[in-house]
Amino acid sequence: MKFFALLMSSFAIIQMAIAGDPDILTDFIVPPNVTNIDGNFFTFTGMRALLVGFPTVFRVTKASLAEFPALNGESVSYALLFLTQGTLQVGFVDTTNKLFNKTLQMGDIFVFPKGLAHFQYNDDVKFPAIAISAFGSANAGAVSLPNTLFTTGIDDNVLAKSFKTDFATIKALKAGLAPEP
C-alpha cells in the first residue's frame, strides 16, 4: 500500500513539474471576436496609470490573458516589453511577412510572439527610452539579425541574392550607410 501511495505521489509531482501552456502552431492566437489585427492588438496600455502619480491605496494592476488577449499561447510572456520612460517604436514581422508596429508611450506593454523577428527603436535622441523586458525562459537567448547576417562572413553575393538586392546595397548595409536610391 505504501508503494502504491508513493507511486501515485510521484505521478502527481511529475504532472505538476511539467505543467504549462501548450505550444501553439501559429505565430499568435486571434480571439474569435477580433477581425482586425494590428500593432494595437499586441499593446497593453493599462500600466500607464502606474507612472502618473504616487498611488494612495494598494491596488493590483495586472496584464493577464483576460486584460491582454495577445498573451494567449505565449506562455505568459516570451518577450514582453514594459516602457517606463520615453517613447519607443516597436514591432515584429509574422511568418506571412506582415509588419505589426506601434509607438509605445510610458506605461505601455508590448508582447512579441515567440520566435518572430522583432525590433525596438528610440527615435528621440534627446530623450532616452527605458524599458523592462521579461522572457518566458531562464535562458531565452537572442539573435541579432544584423550581426548574424552581416558580420559572420556570409558571402556578399549570397546575401544579395537572398535579399533580392545588389552587391552595392549589401556593402552599404555592412558599412552602416543607407543604400543609394
Side-chain angles (χ1 to χ4, degrees):
M1 188 64 158
K2 287 183 182 181
F3 174 75
F4 182 70
L6 180 61
L7 184 64
M8 293 307 289
S9 297
S10 297
F11 284 136
I13 291 170
I14 290 171
Q15 284 294 27
M16 285 188 287
I18 61 171
D21 294 339
D23 285 335
I24 59 175
L25 301 176
T26 57
D27 292 336
F28 46 86
I29 297 174
V30 179
N33 60 342
V34 176
T35 57
N36 184 25
I37 299 291
D38 60 12
N40 291 312
F41 176 73
F42 299 96
T43 305
F44 180 72
T45 61
M47 298 293 182
R48 287 181 181 177
L50 298 175
L51 302 173
V52 175
F54 193 78
T56 57
V57 296
F58 178 78
R59 186 175 142 195
V60 174
T61 304
K62 62 180 181 166
S64 67
L65 183 59
E67 297 85 19
F68 193 13
L71 293 177
N72 193 9
E74 298 300 322
S75 298
V76 178
S77 59
Y78 262 78
L80 187 140
L81 190 74
F82 176 48
L83 189 65
T84 62
Q85 178 179 311
T87 61
L88 203 58
Q89 308 295 319
V90 299
F92 66 89
V93 178
D94 72 5
T95 57
T96 66
N97 290 327
K98 182 175 178 184
L99 172 65
F100 296 88
N101 62 334
K102 182 75 176 170
T103 301
L104 299 183
Q105 305 297 318
M106 286 188 343
D108 288 353
I109 294 175
F110 193 86
V111 63
F112 300 106
K114 57 185 171 181
L116 297 181
H118 59 278
F119 65 91
Q120 309 91 37
Y121 176 71
N122 178 13
D123 62 359
D124 187 348
V125 296
K126 294 180 182 172
F127 194 69
I130 298 175
I132 300 168
S133 294
F135 299 93
S137 170
N139 190 17
V143 175
S144 169
L145 292 179
N147 287 339
T148 300
L149 294 172
F150 300 115
T151 65
T152 56
I154 298 173
D155 185 80
D156 291 348
N157 292 312
V158 171
L159 290 171
K161 288 178 184 177
S162 297
F163 287 108
K164 296 179 175 44
T165 190
D166 57 33
F167 185 78
T169 301
I170 297 300
K171 283 294 191 193
L173 287 169
K174 281 187 167 186
L177 304 172
E180 294 295 321

